[in-house]
């Protein structure tokens, strides 16, 4: 499928807020789960039933994303002075584990079908339902991904990955059912099921790295840190040097702190204004960043 066409189709619309996009994914996943489950039982296809389980976990992930986005937007309080952003990372990590569970379950069911093959009923009907589910999740997945990128929400991007992964696996099952209908080679059904499981587990590994590492206060990417250094360099004629630059991510927020050495004759008021201007420039590139600049006099360097 050409995702560029669908991206162009939805690009003209107003972007949804993360919480509304998560709500939309809950509605779409519920619809797709019911369609796949009913069709899988009716046709006897383990691949369709496996996809129904996959979509059920996507639904759970969508519900988790809905609440994690809502909770992560709560302002800092006495118990959580640095905010609640890491709730999104925790949600994404749990979603990763759910994908692995789904992959293992699909492999077990597919191996059982390989050992004890059974005929499929109306495979072309199953292919049509899978294609419909793929189209629904493709459109919704692109909308959710766009909302997640705009909001820098790891939970929303994780949710979008669930939906877009489902697109490719559903399309693969639809193709296998068409081939089964044309060739009557029923072993294609569990073989495609195993392929789907391996694919979604690979995607889960990538998602897990993105979600889990910020829980360990991993730094921003080299490209992001280079952008911060370029901003600092643009003020180089107003300070002596900077050091101890540290960065980390917490959900949709970036935390940036550094030490700035200024000339001894610079007044506290001027140093404060300089920091305000630097912070304003950083916020233009990182709108949700929390920036802390520690001022040091020239003698500190000596």
């Amino acid at each position: 499928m050409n995702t560029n066409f669908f991206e162009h189709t939805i690009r003209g619309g107003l972007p949804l807020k993360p919480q509304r996009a998560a709500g939309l994914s809950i509605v779409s996943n519920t619809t797709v789960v019911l369609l796949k489950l009913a069709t899988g039982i009716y046709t006897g296809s383990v691949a369709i039933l496996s996809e129904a389980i996959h979509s059920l976990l996507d639904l759970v992930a969508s519900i988790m994303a809905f609440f994690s986005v809502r909770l992560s937007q709560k302002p800092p309080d006495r118990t959580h002075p640095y905010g609640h952003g890491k709730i999104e990372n925790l949600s994404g990590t749990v979603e990763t584990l759910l994908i692995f569970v789904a992959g293992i379950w699909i492999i077990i069911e597919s191996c059982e079908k390989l050992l004890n093959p059974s005929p499929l009923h109306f495979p072309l009907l199953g292919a049509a339902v899978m294609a419909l589910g793929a189209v629904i999740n493709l459109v919704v997945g692109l909308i959710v991904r766009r909302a997640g990128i705009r909001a820098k929400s790891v939970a929303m991007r994780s949710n979008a990955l669930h939906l877009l992964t489902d697109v490719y696996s559903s399309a693969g099952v639809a193709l296998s059912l068409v081939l089964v209908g044309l060739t009557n080679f029923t072993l294609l059904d569990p073989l495609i099921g195993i392929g789907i499981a391996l694919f979604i587990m690979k995607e889960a590994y990538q998602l897990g790295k993105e979600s889990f590492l910020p829980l360990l206060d991993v730094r921003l990417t080299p490209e992001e840190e280079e952008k911060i250094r370029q901003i600092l360099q643009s003020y180089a004629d107003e300070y002596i040097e900077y050091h101890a630059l540290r960065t980390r991510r917490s959900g949709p927020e970036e935390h940036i702190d550094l030490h700035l050495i200024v000339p001894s004759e610079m007044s506290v008021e001027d140093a404060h204004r300089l920091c305000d201007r630097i912070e304003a420039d950083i916020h233009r590139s990182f709108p949700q960043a929390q920036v802390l600049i520690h001022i040091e006099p020239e003698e500190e360097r000596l």
Side-chain angles (χ1 to χ4, degrees):
M1 294 185 182
N2 187 352
T3 59
N4 289 332
F5 170 78
F6 287 96
E7 284 184 338
H8 177 74
T9 301
I10 66 173
R11 192 173 293 155
L14 291 174
L16 292 179
K17 292 182 179 180
Q19 198 166 340
R20 290 188 177 182
L24 176 63
S25 70
I26 291 174
V27 173
S28 68
N29 272 320
T30 300
T31 303
V32 170
V33 167
L34 293 176
L35 281 173
K36 289 181 179 179
L37 190 60
T39 307
I41 294 173
Y42 185 66
T43 61
S45 169
V46 67
I48 296 180
L49 287 174
S50 299
E51 271 298 291
I53 297 299
H54 180 196
S55 296
L56 180 62
L57 291 178
D58 288 347
L59 174 59
V60 174
S62 295
I63 294 172
M64 290 177 59
F66 178 84
F67 286 104
S68 68
V69 168
R70 185 175 182 177
L71 292 173
S72 68
Q73 293 176 346
K74 292 174 59 179
D77 53 35
R78 179 174 296 181
T79 308
H80 303 90
Y82 291 97
H84 302 78
K86 287 191 177 180
I87 290 176
E88 290 199 20
N89 299 101
L90 183 61
S91 172
T93 301
V94 174
E95 289 177 36
T96 300
L97 297 177
L98 288 176
I99 296 176
F100 271 108
V101 170
I104 294 171
W105 187 90
I106 292 172
I107 290 174
I108 292 173
E109 290 299 311
S110 298
C111 289
E112 174 66 24
K113 193 76 177 243
L114 281 173
L115 296 175
N116 300 291
S118 59
L120 299 182
H121 307 290
F122 305 105
L124 295 182
L125 171 63
V129 172
M130 296 304 294
L132 175 61
V135 171
I136 292 173
N137 277 338
L138 177 59
V139 174
V140 175
L142 292 174
I143 293 172
V144 172
R145 184 175 70 178
R146 185 183 179 203
I149 291 173
R150 288 176 64 91
K152 293 190 175 182
S153 168
V154 66
M156 293 304 301
R157 294 201 305 274
S158 300
N159 191 17
L161 181 57
H162 275 273
L163 292 165
L164 295 176
T165 298
D166 187 86
V167 171
Y168 295 110
S169 58
S170 295
V173 171
L175 177 61
S176 73
L177 291 173
V178 170
L179 294 176
V180 169
L182 295 176
T183 65
N184 203 32
F185 183 52
T186 57
L187 289 181
L188 273 176
D189 182 50
L191 289 174
I192 292 292
I194 292 174
I196 291 169
L198 295 175
F199 173 72
I200 65 175
M201 291 171 79
K202 172 182 175 293
E203 293 296 314
Y205 173 73
Q206 297 298 327
L207 171 60
K209 288 199 300 183
E210 182 178 355
S211 301
F212 179 71
L213 289 179
L215 293 175
L216 304 178
D217 287 340
V218 68
R219 67 197 300 176
L220 302 185
T221 65
E223 294 77 16
E224 289 172 318
E225 289 197 346
E226 179 59 28
K227 184 177 293 186
I228 295 170
R229 291 191 179 92
Q230 289 175 1
I231 292 171
L232 292 169
Q233 184 61 32
S234 67
Y235 292 89
D237 59 341
E238 299 185 50
Y239 63 82
I240 295 175
E241 67 176 33
Y242 71 87
H243 61 271
L245 173 64
R246 299 188 303 175
T247 64
R248 67 182 178 92
R249 194 181 305 282
S250 178
E253 297 180 350
E254 299 86 12
H255 290 260
I256 303 165
D257 64 80
L258 62 124
H259 292 205
L260 192 71
I261 297 180
V262 298
S264 297
E265 64 272 14
M266 181 179 284
S267 68
V268 173
E269 183 178 0
D270 287 341
H272 179 70
R273 287 176 179 171
L274 173 61
C275 291
D276 283 346
R277 289 158 52 211
I278 293 174
E279 290 177 15
D281 264 3
I282 292 176
H283 283 140
R284 274 189 273 273
S285 296
F286 303 91
Q288 300 189 64
Q290 302 293 322
V291 184
L292 176 63
I293 301 178
H294 174 70
I295 293 293
E296 295 178 353
E298 186 176 359
E299 288 76 8
E300 283 292 315
R301 184 179 65 165
L302 300 178

mmCIF file of all heavy atoms in Angstrom, residues 274-297:
data_model
loop_
_atom_site.group_PDB
_atom_site.id
_atom_site.type_symbol
_atom_site.label_atom_id
_atom_site.label_comp_id
_atom_site.label_asym_id
_atom_site.label_seq_id
_atom_site.Cartn_x
_atom_site.Cartn_y
_atom_site.Cartn_z
ATOM 1 N N LEU A 274 20.854 37.407 29.566
ATOM 2 C CA LEU A 274 21.514 36.533 28.602
ATOM 3 C C LEU A 274 20.918 35.122 28.668
ATOM 4 O O LEU A 274 20.616 34.511 27.635
ATOM 5 C CB LEU A 274 23.019 36.503 28.860
ATOM 6 C CG LEU A 274 23.835 35.494 28.038
ATOM 7 C CD1 LEU A 274 23.709 35.790 26.548
ATOM 8 C CD2 LEU A 274 25.303 35.511 28.481
ATOM 9 N N CYS A 275 20.758 34.623 29.877
ATOM 10 C CA CYS A 275 20.174 33.279 30.053
ATOM 11 C C CYS A 275 18.749 33.224 29.499
ATOM 12 O O CYS A 275 18.355 32.236 28.869
ATOM 13 C CB CYS A 275 20.182 32.883 31.520
ATOM 14 S SG CYS A 275 21.819 32.576 32.196
ATOM 15 N N ASP A 276 17.981 34.286 29.728
ATOM 16 C CA ASP A 276 16.605 34.329 29.220
ATOM 17 C C ASP A 276 16.587 34.243 27.694
ATOM 18 O O ASP A 276 15.754 33.541 27.112
ATOM 19 C CB ASP A 276 15.911 35.611 29.665
ATOM 20 C CG ASP A 276 15.464 35.558 31.124
ATOM 21 O OD1 ASP A 276 15.454 34.445 31.697
ATOM 22 O OD2 ASP A 276 15.132 36.624 31.684
ATOM 23 N N ARG A 277 17.502 34.946 27.049
ATOM 24 C CA ARG A 277 17.551 34.912 25.585
ATOM 25 C C ARG A 277 17.975 33.550 25.059
ATOM 26 O O ARG A 277 17.420 33.047 24.068
ATOM 27 C CB ARG A 277 18.501 36.009 25.086
ATOM 28 C CG ARG A 277 17.917 37.431 25.275
ATOM 29 C CD ARG A 277 19.008 38.496 25.292
ATOM 30 N NE ARG A 277 19.877 38.395 24.134
ATOM 31 C CZ ARG A 277 21.160 38.727 24.124
ATOM 32 N NH1 ARG A 277 21.739 39.178 25.244
ATOM 33 N NH2 ARG A 277 21.870 38.626 23.023
ATOM 34 N N ILE A 278 18.959 32.932 25.728
ATOM 35 C CA ILE A 278 19.393 31.594 25.324
ATOM 36 C C ILE A 278 18.249 30.594 25.488
ATOM 37 O O ILE A 278 17.971 29.767 24.605
ATOM 38 C CB ILE A 278 20.625 31.152 26.138
ATOM 39 C CG1 ILE A 278 21.838 32.015 25.781
ATOM 40 C CG2 ILE A 278 20.934 29.676 25.891
ATOM 41 C CD1 ILE A 278 23.063 31.754 26.637
ATOM 42 N N GLU A 279 17.563 30.671 26.639
ATOM 43 C CA GLU A 279 16.446 29.761 26.887
ATOM 44 C C GLU A 279 15.342 29.950 25.862
ATOM 45 O O GLU A 279 14.736 28.986 25.392
ATOM 46 C CB GLU A 279 15.906 29.976 28.294
ATOM 47 C CG GLU A 279 16.842 29.497 29.392
ATOM 48 C CD GLU A 279 16.308 29.800 30.785
ATOM 49 O OE1 GLU A 279 15.104 30.116 30.895
ATOM 50 O OE2 GLU A 279 17.089 29.722 31.740
ATOM 51 N N ALA A 280 15.066 31.211 25.486
ATOM 52 C CA ALA A 280 14.017 31.483 24.498
ATOM 53 C C ALA A 280 14.365 30.862 23.155
ATOM 54 O O ALA A 280 13.499 30.288 22.474
ATOM 55 C CB ALA A 280 13.808 32.987 24.355
ATOM 56 N N ASP A 281 15.650 30.925 22.774
ATOM 57 C CA ASP A 281 16.077 30.316 21.513
ATOM 58 C C ASP A 281 15.963 28.792 21.572
ATOM 59 O O ASP A 281 15.557 28.151 20.598
ATOM 60 C CB ASP A 281 17.514 30.722 21.205
ATOM 61 C CG ASP A 281 17.582 31.920 20.266
ATOM 62 O OD1 ASP A 281 16.509 32.447 19.922
ATOM 63 O OD2 ASP A 281 18.700 32.332 19.891
ATOM 64 N N ILE A 282 16.346 28.210 22.700
ATOM 65 C CA ILE A 282 16.226 26.759 22.847
ATOM 66 C C ILE A 282 14.765 26.335 22.769
ATOM 67 O O ILE A 282 14.414 25.322 22.129
ATOM 68 C CB ILE A 282 16.862 26.296 24.180
ATOM 69 C CG1 ILE A 282 18.390 26.481 24.138
ATOM 70 C CG2 ILE A 282 16.521 24.826 24.469
ATOM 71 C CD1 ILE A 282 19.103 26.157 25.430
ATOM 72 N N HIS A 283 13.878 27.118 23.373
ATOM 73 C CA HIS A 283 12.449 26.780 23.350
ATOM 74 C C HIS A 283 11.863 26.858 21.949
ATOM 75 O O HIS A 283 10.866 26.195 21.669
ATOM 76 C CB HIS A 283 11.676 27.702 24.293
ATOM 77 C CG HIS A 283 11.831 27.335 25.736
ATOM 78 N ND1 HIS A 283 11.983 28.279 26.731
ATOM 79 C CD2 HIS A 283 11.872 26.135 26.354
ATOM 80 C CE1 HIS A 283 12.110 27.664 27.893
ATOM 81 N NE2 HIS A 283 12.049 26.367 27.687
ATOM 82 N N ARG A 284 12.466 27.648 21.075
ATOM 83 C CA ARG A 284 11.968 27.706 19.703
ATOM 84 C C ARG A 284 12.199 26.371 18.994
ATOM 85 O O ARG A 284 11.425 25.989 18.109
ATOM 86 C CB ARG A 284 12.631 28.852 18.939
ATOM 87 C CG ARG A 284 11.918 30.192 19.143
ATOM 88 C CD ARG A 284 12.463 31.260 18.210
ATOM 89 N NE ARG A 284 13.612 31.933 18.793
ATOM 90 C CZ ARG A 284 13.528 32.986 19.593
ATOM 91 N NH1 ARG A 284 12.349 33.467 19.918
ATOM 92 N NH2 ARG A 284 14.616 33.553 20.083
ATOM 93 N N SER A 285 13.277 25.679 19.340
ATOM 94 C CA SER A 285 13.555 24.366 18.748
ATOM 95 C C SER A 285 12.981 23.224 19.576
ATOM 96 O O SER A 285 12.649 22.171 19.040
ATOM 97 C CB SER A 285 15.068 24.167 18.602
ATOM 98 O OG SER A 285 15.621 25.096 17.700
ATOM 99 N N PHE A 286 12.874 23.445 20.891
ATOM 100 C CA PHE A 286 12.349 22.422 21.808
ATOM 101 C C PHE A 286 11.268 23.070 22.671
ATOM 102 O O PHE A 286 11.537 23.466 23.812
ATOM 103 C CB PHE A 286 13.471 21.859 22.687
ATOM 104 C CG PHE A 286 14.629 21.279 21.929
ATOM 105 C CD1 PHE A 286 15.725 22.070 21.588
ATOM 106 C CD2 PHE A 286 14.635 19.950 21.550
ATOM 107 C CE1 PHE A 286 16.795 21.549 20.880
ATOM 108 C CE2 PHE A 286 15.708 19.413 20.842
ATOM 109 C CZ PHE A 286 16.783 20.218 20.510
ATOM 110 N N PRO A 287 10.046 23.194 22.152
ATOM 111 C CA PRO A 287 8.994 23.970 22.840
ATOM 112 C C PRO A 287 8.676 23.488 24.253
ATOM 113 O O PRO A 287 8.259 24.294 25.092
ATOM 114 C CB PRO A 287 7.780 23.802 21.917
ATOM 115 C CG PRO A 287 8.360 23.497 20.578
ATOM 116 C CD PRO A 287 9.590 22.688 20.847
ATOM 117 N N GLN A 288 8.859 22.202 24.534
ATOM 118 C CA GLN A 288 8.496 21.689 25.853
ATOM 119 C C GLN A 288 9.712 21.447 26.744
ATOM 120 O O GLN A 288 9.617 20.767 27.764
ATOM 121 C CB GLN A 288 7.700 20.389 25.707
ATOM 122 C CG GLN A 288 6.402 20.568 24.924
ATOM 123 C CD GLN A 288 5.527 19.344 24.980
ATOM 124 O OE1 GLN A 288 5.039 18.949 26.033
ATOM 125 N NE2 GLN A 288 5.318 18.703 23.842
ATOM 126 N N ALA A 289 10.846 22.020 26.362
ATOM 127 C CA ALA A 289 12.075 21.790 27.120
ATOM 128 C C ALA A 289 12.058 22.520 28.462
ATOM 129 O O ALA A 289 11.511 23.613 28.590
ATOM 130 C CB ALA A 289 13.282 22.241 26.300
ATOM 131 N N GLN A 290 12.659 21.884 29.450
ATOM 132 C CA GLN A 290 12.913 22.506 30.749
ATOM 133 C C GLN A 290 14.410 22.824 30.788
ATOM 134 O O GLN A 290 15.238 21.910 30.791
ATOM 135 C CB GLN A 290 12.530 21.550 31.883
ATOM 136 C CG GLN A 290 11.076 21.099 31.871
ATOM 137 C CD GLN A 290 10.128 22.245 32.166
ATOM 138 O OE1 GLN A 290 10.420 23.103 33.005
ATOM 139 N NE2 GLN A 290 8.996 22.259 31.475
ATOM 140 N N VAL A 291 14.749 24.114 30.801
ATOM 141 C CA VAL A 291 16.142 24.536 30.682
ATOM 142 C C VAL A 291 16.617 25.148 31.994
ATOM 143 O O VAL A 291 15.928 25.991 32.586
ATOM 144 C CB VAL A 291 16.312 25.567 29.540
ATOM 145 C CG1 VAL A 291 17.785 25.918 29.355
ATOM 146 C CG2 VAL A 291 15.720 25.022 28.242
ATOM 147 N N LEU A 292 17.786 24.714 32.449
ATOM 148 C CA LEU A 292 18.393 25.264 33.662
ATOM 149 C C LEU A 292 19.835 25.654 33.358
ATOM 150 O O LEU A 292 20.642 24.811 32.959
ATOM 151 C CB LEU A 292 18.355 24.230 34.792
ATOM 152 C CG LEU A 292 19.037 24.634 36.106
ATOM 153 C CD1 LEU A 292 18.338 25.846 36.718
ATOM 154 C CD2 LEU A 292 19.066 23.476 37.088
ATOM 155 N N ILE A 293 20.162 26.949 33.512
ATOM 156 C CA ILE A 293 21.518 27.446 33.248
ATOM 157 C C ILE A 293 22.106 27.963 34.551
ATOM 158 O O ILE A 293 21.542 28.859 35.187
ATOM 159 C CB ILE A 293 21.494 28.562 32.184
ATOM 160 C CG1 ILE A 293 20.894 28.048 30.878
ATOM 161 C CG2 ILE A 293 22.914 29.085 31.943
ATOM 162 C CD1 ILE A 293 20.785 29.112 29.780
ATOM 163 N N HIS A 294 23.233 27.385 34.931
ATOM 164 C CA HIS A 294 23.931 27.799 36.154
ATOM 165 C C HIS A 294 25.038 28.781 35.773
ATOM 166 O O HIS A 294 25.952 28.455 35.014
ATOM 167 C CB HIS A 294 24.527 26.570 36.855
ATOM 168 C CG HIS A 294 25.370 26.899 38.038
ATOM 169 N ND1 HIS A 294 24.846 27.395 39.209
ATOM 170 C CD2 HIS A 294 26.720 26.816 38.231
ATOM 171 C CE1 HIS A 294 25.823 27.591 40.072
ATOM 172 N NE2 HIS A 294 26.969 27.259 39.502
ATOM 173 N N ILE A 295 24.942 30.009 36.276
ATOM 174 C CA ILE A 295 25.908 31.056 35.964
ATOM 175 C C ILE A 295 27.131 30.940 36.884
ATOM 176 O O ILE A 295 26.987 30.749 38.115
ATOM 177 C CB ILE A 295 25.281 32.447 36.115
ATOM 178 C CG1 ILE A 295 24.202 32.660 35.050
ATOM 179 C CG2 ILE A 295 26.329 33.547 36.022
ATOM 180 C CD1 ILE A 295 24.756 32.717 33.653
ATOM 181 N N GLU A 296 28.339 31.056 36.293
ATOM 182 C CA GLU A 296 29.578 31.046 37.066
ATOM 183 C C GLU A 296 30.419 32.253 36.652
ATOM 184 O O GLU A 296 30.470 32.604 35.471
ATOM 185 C CB GLU A 296 30.370 29.756 36.830
ATOM 186 C CG GLU A 296 29.655 28.507 37.324
ATOM 187 C CD GLU A 296 30.472 27.243 37.025
ATOM 188 O OE1 GLU A 296 31.508 27.359 36.329
ATOM 189 O OE2 GLU A 296 30.064 26.169 37.474
ATOM 190 N N PRO A 297 31.117 32.880 37.592
ATOM 191 C CA PRO A 297 31.992 34.029 37.238
ATOM 192 C C PRO A 297 33.281 33.551 36.577
ATOM 193 O O PRO A 297 33.626 32.366 36.654
ATOM 194 C CB PRO A 297 32.274 34.680 38.595
ATOM 195 C CG PRO A 297 32.164 33.554 39.572
ATOM 196 C CD PRO A 297 31.089 32.643 39.049
#
